[in-house]
Amino acid sequence: MPLAGDLFNPQAIGILAECAIANHDLLQCILLLSRYTPPKGVPTRVNYAALNVEEFGSVYEGLLGYTPIVQSSNGTRQFSFRELQGNDRKTSGSYYTPDSLVQAVLDSALNPVIAQAQQGKKPAEAARALRALRICEPAVGSGHFLLGAARRLADAIARADAEVAGASEYAPSDYQRALRDVTEHCVYGVDINPMSAELCRVALWIESHEPGKPLSFLDHHIQVGNSLLGTTPEHILAGIPDEAYVALTGDDKATVSALKKRNKAERKPLGPMFATQDAHERDTLRHSAAALNALASDDVQTLYAKGQSYRAYLQSAAYRHQKRIADAWCAAFVAPKDTTSATFGQVAAGITTGTIHGLLAGDVVSAPMAEQID
């Protein structure tokens, strides 16, 4: 049975699908990847079969230390890696967490939640309560934390299921089934680095794969984004707060002051019609997301159907409208507020509560404003 999943999608390699490589060069690549020669010793074959999923983290950490460089000279191009200098990794928050720290955090943060979900319940009720738990990692990295959390929750679910069946222990297949269930429905993650999100999906895929079934659909649960900057419908409807208008590096203080004054005048209760329309649109999206989450992915056909439903969801007018509104609210805090790009005549042009009200009413923003929002 095909495994499906983007990991095996021919389109995943992008323009590389149109490139060619000589057999000699391909052989050299394979040899370099499959053998390791220590400074003083004989070549040793790399045992990828024994590679632990957690070791993706150390591989990820090594990759973060370099950036690819393509140099053109005399009509030919050379590819190499340059070691990152300065605080590039520090500013991106790209660090690998040792397993000992991961386990310590899970002991203190997750174990009590699992215990509380089962407390005072019969095995069947406990199993349902455990499956209802939702775990979110705001910076997934290579998936180290999320994978550890999934394992612990799957172990608890498999034990509860075994008690329901009257068994003292669970079989390996029962644990694998529980782990796939947890991966599909209980774990969520975000990372600002696309490579991190992809590595997390791969780690979860490898660990939770159940024989006879394709890889789980994870695109809607493992997202690329900034988990430190966000908003809620309540905050949006209340308008942009004054705290958004604090001069940051490069901002013009007079422009910031003018935007703050205008925003304060515009920050008034939203009309009930727009508030009702907005709530209805969000309810529609919630129902669509719940329906998407409920779709099965036990075979390739249903998995592809789930992927198509998710892409349709992202392209829907309601989703794009709500995303634009939320992006505008967040952008008000960080968008440049300078004299060259933020003024038209004598009026400061930037994102204010009036912008949010206009978007809620269906107004089309100008190109400069759209650039600030996106």
Side-chain angles (χ1 to χ4, degrees):
M1 169 182 283
L3 290 174
D6 287 341
L7 186 63
F8 302 98
N9 189 339
Q11 297 178 352
I13 58 175
I15 61 173
L16 291 179
E18 303 173 3
C19 299
I21 184 172
N23 287 339
H24 175 270
D25 295 329
L26 178 60
L27 176 61
Q28 291 301 309
C29 292
I30 293 175
L31 291 176
L32 289 170
L33 287 170
S34 60
R35 295 188 305 184
Y36 168 71
T37 304
K40 293 182 180 180
V42 297
T44 303
R45 182 176 294 278
V46 178
N47 185 6
Y48 284 102
L51 182 67
N52 194 292
V53 173
E54 281 85 358
E55 293 183 87
F56 281 148
S58 60
V59 175
Y60 169 60
E61 185 180 29
L63 291 173
L64 289 172
Y66 296 89
T67 185
I69 300 293
V70 178
Q71 295 175 317
S72 298
S73 177
N74 299 325
T76 62
R77 292 188 297 176
Q78 290 186 325
F79 179 86
S80 61
F81 285 99
R82 177 178 64 84
E83 190 169 1
L84 293 176
Q85 302 297 321
N87 65 343
D88 288 357
R89 286 181 61 184
K90 180 179 179 181
T91 55
S92 66
S94 303
Y95 293 100
Y96 170 62
T97 307
D99 184 65
S100 57
L101 180 55
V102 170
Q103 299 308 322
V105 171
L106 292 175
D107 286 342
S108 60
L110 181 61
N111 283 3
V113 175
I114 291 177
Q116 185 178 11
Q118 302 176 90
Q119 188 174 10
K121 296 183 177 72
K122 294 180 179 180
E125 294 175 333
R128 286 194 294 270
L130 289 169
R131 285 185 166 89
L133 292 178
R134 298 294 178 263
I135 303 167
C136 183
E137 166 58 48
V140 296
S142 59
H144 207 164
F145 273 104
L146 210 55
L147 183 58
R151 284 171 175 163
R152 295 194 183 202
L153 183 54
D155 176 76
I157 289 174
R159 290 184 184 280
D161 288 344
E163 288 186 46
V164 173
S168 57
E169 290 291 336
Y170 58 75
S173 59
D174 297 329
Y175 168 78
Q176 202 62 30
R177 188 178 305 111
L179 185 58
R180 178 185 170 87
D181 195 23
V182 167
T183 301
E184 279 196 2
H185 302 293
C186 302
V187 296
Y188 296 76
V190 183
D191 205 288
I192 199 168
N193 187 330
M195 185 172 71
S196 296
E198 187 63 23
L199 277 172
C200 181
R201 291 191 195 104
V202 171
L204 291 171
W205 274 334
I206 291 175
E207 190 76 6
S208 67
H209 174 241
E210 188 178 355
K213 293 184 179 181
L215 299 177
S216 302
F217 182 78
L218 300 177
D219 288 10
H220 60 324
H221 283 188
I222 310 300
Q223 295 270 324
V224 177
N226 189 339
S227 59
L228 298 180
L229 187 62
T231 186
T232 65
E234 292 73 23
H235 284 120
I236 291 173
L237 295 179
I240 300 172
D242 292 340
E243 289 78 5
Y245 305 96
V246 176
L248 304 177
T249 303
D251 287 346
D252 175 64
K253 291 185 177 180
T255 300
V256 173
S257 178
L259 287 171
K260 183 176 181 178
K261 181 178 180 180
R262 192 176 82 197
N263 180 74
K264 187 174 292 187
E266 295 171 348
R267 197 170 58 233
K268 54 188 177 182
L270 191 65
M273 181 181 70
F274 291 139
T276 301
Q277 289 176 348
D278 182 69
H280 176 72
E281 192 170 58
R282 284 187 279 106
D283 284 341
T284 300
L285 287 174
R286 272 195 290 266
H287 290 312
S288 298
L292 171 67
N293 216 34
L295 289 175
S297 55
D298 291 337
D299 56 64
V300 175
Q301 288 72 29
T302 56
L303 188 73
Y304 284 150
K306 196 166 187 174
Q308 290 175 339
S309 297
Y310 179 59
R311 287 186 288 273
Y313 175 84
L314 295 181
Q315 293 300 318
S316 67
Y319 175 84
R320 294 169 69 179
H321 183 226
Q322 288 293 322
K323 184 177 185 301
R324 171 59 66 86
I325 294 169
D327 286 346
W329 194 96
C330 294
F333 288 79
V334 295
K337 304 173 181 69
D338 54 60
T339 55
T340 57
S341 62
T343 57
F344 293 118
Q346 300 299 315
V347 181
I351 300 170
T352 60
T353 296
T355 309
I356 303 299
H357 287 179
L359 288 170
L360 286 167
D363 293 350
V364 178
V365 298
S366 64
M369 186 72 72
E371 187 176 346
Q372 284 191 350
I373 294 172
D374 298 334

